[in-house]
Amino acid sequence: INNFTFYLSGKMFTFPQQTSTAHVRLSTTRVDFRAVTVCLRYWKDGNTAYGLFSLATPSAANDFLLFKTATANQIYVYARNADALFDGQEYTLNAWLSVCATWDSASGLGQVWLNGKPSSRKFTKSGSNIKGRTIITLGQEQDSYGGGFDAKQSFVGMISDVHMWDYVLSPCEISRYTDNINFTPGNVLNWRALDFQITGRVLLEEKQNICY
């Protein structure tokens, strides 16, 4: 287990194998969220089920979760342990994808933006904030607070540019993130100053971009 705080621009986490242990834990001192936006970029091959971003609190293992199903173009957003299924967006294999997911407690609506294009807005759960000390993992999906990992749901691929905000980003802000042009970095998690802990075989590497 290694603890780091890094300026990670131009870097990526590589998860090279299916495992029930290897993951990255991201740290924040925030304990109360009435709204959330999470954005990240990832590269993956194969249509398997995996967690992209898992936030658990003592009261809810799936307090905010992005879970990609084995069905090609389906992804779940969980908020406060309640889920909504988003379908029909094109999750291309072997390419960098930009994914942003939003939720706010007042309306209970969640939404997924894939490469800057929005899904429908769907209801998950309303009326209560995400509260409590958070455990946030990349590479593994938490079925219990900080654990319950299943190798068959582990992420194998690369993840980069992880940001989290405590509000719902506007469409224009999400577009700027997708294009990586002058966007406001996350005020909860900021890839440019990320506090993280690596467990198991996860590599921090230079981000691979396609040259034309």
Side-chain angles (χ1 to χ4, degrees):
I1 298 175
N2 298 300
N3 292 278
F4 300 102
T5 301
F6 264 80
Y7 178 84
L8 293 182
S9 292
K11 304 287 188 182
M12 66 183 184
F13 290 125
T14 298
F15 302 84
Q17 65 186 142
Q18 194 174 69
T19 168
S20 63
T21 54
H23 65 283
V24 178
R25 183 181 289 195
L26 308 180
S27 299
T28 177
T29 58
R30 298 290 301 275
V31 294
D32 192 352
F33 302 93
R34 70 166 188 257
V36 170
T37 301
V38 170
C39 293
L40 57 83
R41 307 187 212 280
Y42 78 100
W43 183 294
K44 182 85 172 64
D45 70 352
N47 287 315
T48 59
Y50 52 89
L52 267 177
F53 181 95
S54 176
L55 184 155
T57 61
S59 63
N62 297 326
D63 233 340
F64 193 75
L65 168 66
L66 307 185
F67 187 82
K68 180 72 182 65
T69 73
T71 302
N73 294 320
Q74 293 184 347
I75 193 168
Y76 280 96
V77 173
Y78 286 75
R80 307 294 291 124
N81 272 352
D83 66 80
L85 175 64
F86 297 86
D87 198 358
Q89 294 171 298
E90 190 174 353
Y91 287 83
T92 307
L93 300 177
N94 292 309
W96 281 112
L97 301 179
S98 293
V99 177
C100 294
T102 66
W103 171 79
D104 84 272
S105 62
S107 68
L109 294 182
Q111 190 170 26
V112 179
W113 296 72
L114 178 62
N115 293 332
K117 296 178 181 179
S119 69
S120 296
R121 290 162 61 76
K122 294 188 176 182
F123 182 78
T124 55
K125 191 170 184 178
S126 63
S128 64
N129 291 5
I130 295 171
K131 284 187 176 182
R133 185 174 178 180
T134 62
I135 295 178
I136 301 170
T137 58
L138 305 175
Q140 300 285 347
E141 188 261 319
Q142 300 173 74
D143 284 334
S144 60
Y145 182 56
F149 301 151
D150 180 351
K152 293 179 181 177
Q153 295 181 349
S154 65
F155 176 84
V156 181
M158 294 95 81
I159 292 178
S160 185
D161 299 335
V162 181
H163 291 264
M164 178 177 173
W165 298 260
D166 63 356
Y167 56 92
V168 173
L169 260 62
S170 71
C172 288
E173 289 172 316
I174 289 175
S175 179
R176 286 195 289 271
Y177 171 84
T178 300
D179 295 335
N180 201 20
I181 300 174
N182 295 326
F183 69 90
T184 302
N187 64 347
V188 180
L189 298 174
N190 178 358
W191 189 252
R192 300 167 189 173
L194 196 66
D195 185 3
F196 65 92
Q197 177 188 85
I198 290 175
T199 300
R201 185 170 284 119
V202 182
L203 290 78
L204 180 61
E205 301 187 293
E206 294 296 321
K207 186 177 178 183
Q208 291 185 323
N209 292 304
I210 305 301
C211 296
Y212 295 100

